[in-house]
Each structure stands twice: as structure tokens, then as C-alpha cells.
Amino acid sequence: MNRLVLLAAALSAGPALADTPTLTLKLTFDAEAQAALAERGEMVTVSAYFYGDPAPGATAPTDPEMGWINLGAEEYRLPPGPVTLTLGQGLAFAPVDQVVAPMVNVNIFTARLTDENNLIDCGFIDTAMAELTAPQNLTCTLLK
């Protein structure tokens, strides 16, 4: 019994994975974009960068150009089609205590396997993780 109490105390002393902010992203494609990308054999890249302004007394290194602390990145290469992703799970291991608030920048673009240019517009996300409590819906369309 004492081991269980010690384990529970140890787990509660550190950051809990349940407290880690995550972002649920629901990505869809309009019919024209999905058909065109599938016909070409083009893939889609979902890129997420996590960062934050240094908290008072922060000791983590800051980006020399931007002045923020890098909290990590995630990138996924997917076939075109509806998908739901959970982003930010790596923040459980990032120095989030070193930033004022964890921020995220999500960008979606074609993987450029069949064309050197990006072929889609999916919008983007660039905000505090705390503001993203509900799933975020982004729809991709062809650039014209």
C-alpha cells in the first residue's frame, strides 16, 4: 500500500499529462481540392510549431530572431481527405513553465511531390493554446 501512495505522490508532483494543452484539428477538403490532389497523387503536410514569450525569470534559450522560447514542432504528411488530429501531445515534455502561455502556429500545405508550389489554401491557426478548447475546423480549397 505504501508503494501506491508514493507512486501517486510522485505522479502528482510533476506536470500531469492530462493538464497538457492539446489542439484537436478537424481537416476537411472541398470536393474539387480532394479530387485534384488525389488525381495528382499529391500529399498534404500539417505543420505545427509551439512556442511562447519567456516568463519572468525564464532560463530556457530564446530564439535570437523572434525572442520566444521554442516548445517543439510536429509535422504530418497525409493523403488528402478528412482527418482529425490531436496536436500538442509533446508539450507534456516541453518547458511550458518557461513561457507566459504556450502558443501554436498551424499551417497546412501540399507536400510538393508533384508541383513545387503549394496548391491549397486551408487557412491557418496562430494563437494561444488556451484559446483552442473546442475542435478547430479547417477546410482546404484549391488555390486559383
Side-chain angles (χ1 to χ4, degrees):
M1 184 79 156
N2 287 342
R3 287 185 206 159
L4 289 176
V5 171
L6 289 174
L7 178 60
L11 289 174
S12 66
L17 291 178
D19 294 339
T20 302
T22 58
L23 158 62
T24 300
L25 176 65
K26 292 186 175 187
L27 185 62
T28 58
F29 295 77
D30 73 10
E32 182 183 19
Q34 187 165 339
L37 296 179
E39 182 179 310
R40 288 171 155 267
E42 186 62 78
M43 300 286 280
V44 175
T45 300
V46 176
S47 177
Y49 293 95
F50 303 92
Y51 63 96
D53 290 326
T59 57
T62 59
D63 179 279
E65 250 181 66
M66 303 305 286
W68 60 49
I69 295 173
N70 181 6
L71 299 175
E74 296 175 25
E75 188 168 283
Y76 302 91
R77 185 176 283 182
L78 310 163
V83 65
T84 299
L85 297 170
T86 300
L87 305 174
Q89 295 177 7
L91 289 174
F93 308 102
V96 294
D97 62 328
Q98 296 283 302
V99 300
V100 174
M103 305 286 289
V104 63
N105 176 279
V106 178
N107 196 359
I108 298 109
F109 48 91
T110 51
R112 295 177 171 96
L113 301 175
T114 64
D115 193 303
E116 65 183 33
N117 298 305
N118 178 35
L119 304 173
I120 55 175
D121 177 13
C122 305
F124 65 94
I125 298 169
D126 192 17
T127 193
M129 290 289 290
E131 294 181 18
L132 303 174
T133 56
Q136 301 299 299
N137 301 304
L138 293 178
T139 300
C140 299
T141 58
L142 283 177
L143 286 171
K144 298 184 182 197

